[in-house]
Amino acid sequence: MSTVAATSGRHRSAGPAGDGPLAGAGLLLRAMARRERFRVPAWALLLAGLTAYIAVAVPAVYSEPGALEARGWIMREPAAALLAGPGFGLEHYTVPVMLANEMLGLTIVAVAVMSLQLVVRHTRAEEEAGRTELLRAAPVGRAAPAASGVVLLTGANALIGATMAAALAGLGFGLADSIAYGAALAAGGMVFGAVAAVTAQLTESARTAAGTAGAVLLAAYVLRGLGDAQQAGGGPLSWASPIGWLQQSRVYVELRWWPLLLTLGLAVVLLAAAHALSVRRDLGAGLLPARRGRTRATAFGRTLPGLALRGERWRILWWLVAVSVLAVLCGALAEAVVEEFRVQPDLLRLLGEEGGQDLVRQTMALFLKFFAMAVAVYAGTAAHALRADEDAGRTELLLAGAVRRPSVQAAPFVLSVLASGVLLLAASAGLGAGAASVLGPGAATEMAAAALAYWPLAACWTAAALLLHALSRSGLWLWVPLGTAMLAGLYGPLMDLPPAVLDAEPFGAMDVDGFGTAGTAVLGAGVVAVVLAAAALAAFRRRDVPAELGGTS
């Protein structure tokens, strides 16, 4: 919401701002929309494209009669309901019904994450950086920033919902249900964007506001999962979550519009509450008092690794909890998934071969690869804290003291690498615990070793993120290759990609099928991680702090 961004590249006069609480709202909205002009369309196209691809690929895989119905039986398992949804229409499991049961809830979470980040970025983060105070000094109405943010949030979610509805309707699915599917995504984004608007009034920092809103989102998903696991069609706990309300719309089964209206009503109430709270606090302050820390830091807390750990400890903890819980649930589905592989042999192509003798181990290895991809996403965010520290001026203060430049990057690199290893071990332990009755004794140790085979690969993504930060390059240079590698690893065999492409895909190169490991690939990933980390340290020594994103040093 920078005042410079509103006229970036065009030295035009904004004209008179006018009077009243909404003065300048149009100019602010244009500035916000300019900042989001790539990010929001990318979210819309990615989610719609992935959903459409799954809708097209599933019929090709489940080509035999009764194959989809066999998949529907898995959704009757409590663990499957906990992960996905209440399970409507399982007796006649078509592709649209599968999307509503297995994809809708997860996609709502993705849109919610996008929305809460958008709101915090344009509210609390702007105050924290001091830009809102500059705007207030100009002829800008008091309500203009908030009103512009609400319009931006509404437009972003409307774009995502419309893109998804158009993609599903274009595949020949029912028009009304496709519109409802897109509307459910938009409503979910509005609700959790409104939650973030409330938390931005309560807390003093953008990180705390986003973390608190994320915790509410996680609690909503857990409540929905527990309610859906209690009984088919959802239990009382399902109705304690907006995500549960949206899934109760029964898209592509027995469409009901009123849960969508109920969710939008909650969003309106939360936005009104955020406005009421905003007029009761001082600019830059939060309504809740900040928790007072120690008067003196511990010996470890006075080091750069201790400082990095203190800043990231809650994010690491949430990742650890999420990975552990999901891994246990996936492990509990081992027998059902293996049975599905036996009923539908074409699915064995997901394993990259014909299955082998120990199908259970290969299925668990496939799950482990999924979690390695999730850990890679965590590793790719290693530079976010560094960027935030630079934007807030904390890095300049550190470098003004007796702190060497390499140490500033080395601390978050080591922390991210160690945390990635812990997450991989948590995933292997959760999978082993969930499938203990199937795998038998001794498998947990083998699975832990297989999980650690992905550790050097996660370090590569961490080092790549830090290198891009040191070069002041956009995160797209990381997320596009990582997303491509994940898509090739997940769907490459089903897409009949050339063998050379599949061999180059980094997650498959670890070759942990049956809990074996490819020692050469692991060693090669370790060497690449070291080289990238050294390049990141060298590049960081040669540029100014702070540096403009996308600029040259």
Side-chain angles (χ1 to χ4, degrees):
M1 199 165 59
S2 171
T3 55
V4 176
T7 57
S8 177
R10 300 180 182 180
H11 299 285
R12 296 185 301 180
S13 174
D19 298 322
L22 295 178
L27 185 62
L28 291 179
L29 179 60
R30 291 207 307 272
M32 293 179 181
R34 181 178 177 82
R35 288 180 60 186
E36 304 294 335
R37 67 189 184 279
F38 296 121
R39 188 181 287 112
V40 173
W43 273 94
L45 293 175
L46 176 63
L47 293 177
L50 179 60
T51 303
Y53 170 76
I54 292 175
V56 172
V58 164
V61 177
Y62 291 87
S63 56
E64 297 181 6
L68 269 178
E69 281 73 9
R71 183 182 180 91
W73 278 102
I74 296 181
M75 300 307 299
R76 289 177 168 84
E77 296 285 337
L82 188 63
L83 281 171
F88 294 115
L90 300 182
E91 61 281 354
H92 184 55
Y93 210 58
T94 62
V95 172
V97 174
M98 186 207 73
L99 292 178
N101 277 288
E102 301 181 35
M103 289 292 296
L104 180 58
L106 295 175
T107 312
I108 289 172
V109 171
V111 177
V113 170
M114 184 278 295
S115 298
L116 68 88
Q117 288 178 340
L118 182 147
V119 169
V120 172
R121 188 161 53 244
H122 291 284
T123 55
R124 176 54 63 181
E126 294 293 305
E127 288 191 33
E128 198 172 4
R131 289 186 286 266
T132 303
E133 189 172 8
L134 292 175
L135 285 174
R136 291 283 183 88
V140 173
R142 180 180 179 87
S148 302
V150 171
V151 174
L152 179 68
L153 174 67
T154 305
N157 282 286
L159 176 63
I160 290 177
T163 305
M164 182 65 74
L168 295 176
L171 293 172
F173 301 157
L175 178 60
D177 289 270
S178 298
I179 293 175
Y181 194 108
L185 299 184
M190 289 298 298
V191 162
F192 290 101
V195 169
V198 172
T199 61
Q201 312 309 318
L202 299 177
T203 61
E204 289 187 3
S205 73
R207 181 179 298 183
T208 305
T212 306
V216 174
L217 173 60
L218 178 62
Y221 196 81
V222 170
L223 286 174
R224 191 280 315 156
L226 292 175
D228 292 344
Q230 283 178 343
Q231 64 186 66
L237 285 177
S238 302
W239 291 98
S241 165
I243 301 175
W245 300 355
L246 294 171
Q247 289 186 313
Q248 290 293 329
S249 60
R250 303 184 183 183
V251 180
Y252 294 119
V253 179
E254 186 183 352
L255 180 59
R256 301 190 297 186
W257 289 97
W258 63 266
L260 303 179
L261 299 177
L262 181 64
T263 309
L264 288 175
L266 176 61
V268 171
V269 171
L270 289 172
L271 288 173
H275 173 70
L277 293 174
S278 68
V279 299
R280 287 172 170 77
R281 67 176 179 86
D282 294 331
L283 184 66
L287 290 174
L288 296 179
R291 187 171 62 89
R292 306 183 71 177
R294 294 171 175 264
T295 56
R296 292 181 60 85
T298 62
F300 179 66
R302 290 193 292 270
T303 64
L304 281 177
L307 183 63
L309 178 60
R310 181 174 179 82
E312 293 294 299
R313 66 191 188 281
W314 288 111
R315 191 165 71 94
I316 295 173
L317 179 61
W318 283 119
W319 270 90
L320 183 61
V321 170
V323 165
S324 300
V325 171
L326 290 176
V328 171
L329 293 174
C330 288
L333 289 173
E335 282 190 275
V337 173
V338 167
E339 185 60 30
E340 185 180 7
F341 279 135
R342 291 190 175 120
V343 171
Q344 186 66 16
D346 286 346
L347 289 176
L348 292 174
R349 297 169 62 194
L350 280 172
L351 303 176
E353 52 184 75
E354 296 304 319
Q357 294 183 348
D358 196 340
L359 193 55
V360 176
R361 285 174 174 264
Q362 294 209 24
T363 302
M364 300 308 294
L366 181 63
F367 283 161
L368 190 58
K369 182 166 76 169
F370 295 162
F371 281 101
M373 293 177 181
V375 174
V377 172
Y378 165 80
T381 63
H384 284 188
L386 283 173
R387 172 59 62 184
D389 287 341
E390 284 194 22
D391 291 342
R394 291 186 287 267
T395 302
E396 289 181 278
L397 292 176
L398 282 174
L399 295 177
V403 176
R404 300 179 60 189
R405 278 187 176 234
S407 302
V408 173
Q409 276 208 328
F413 174 74
V414 172
L415 176 63
S416 179
V417 170
L418 292 177
S420 297
V422 172
L423 292 176
L424 288 169
L425 289 175
S428 68
L431 289 171
S437 61
V438 183
L439 291 174
T445 303
E446 298 177 58
M447 189 176 291
L452 291 178
Y454 290 106
W455 196 9
L457 185 58
C460 286
W461 296 111
T462 296
L466 295 179
L467 176 59
L468 290 172
H469 168 260
L471 296 173
S472 301
R473 300 301 177 189
S474 169
L476 288 176
W477 291 95
L478 173 74
W479 297 115
V480 170
L482 178 56
T484 303
M486 292 172 65
L487 286 175
L490 289 172
Y491 303 111
L494 295 178
M495 297 167 64
D496 290 325
L497 293 179
V501 176
L502 295 178
D503 292 339
E505 187 271 305
F507 296 98
M510 297 299 105
D511 191 21
V512 298
D513 291 350
F515 303 164
T517 56
T520 304
V522 173
L523 179 61
V527 171
V528 172
V530 171
V531 171
L532 290 175
L537 293 175
F540 188 64
R541 294 180 58 143
R542 288 174 171 80
R543 75 162 172 86
D544 294 332
V545 175
E548 290 293 331
L549 186 65
T552 57
S553 54

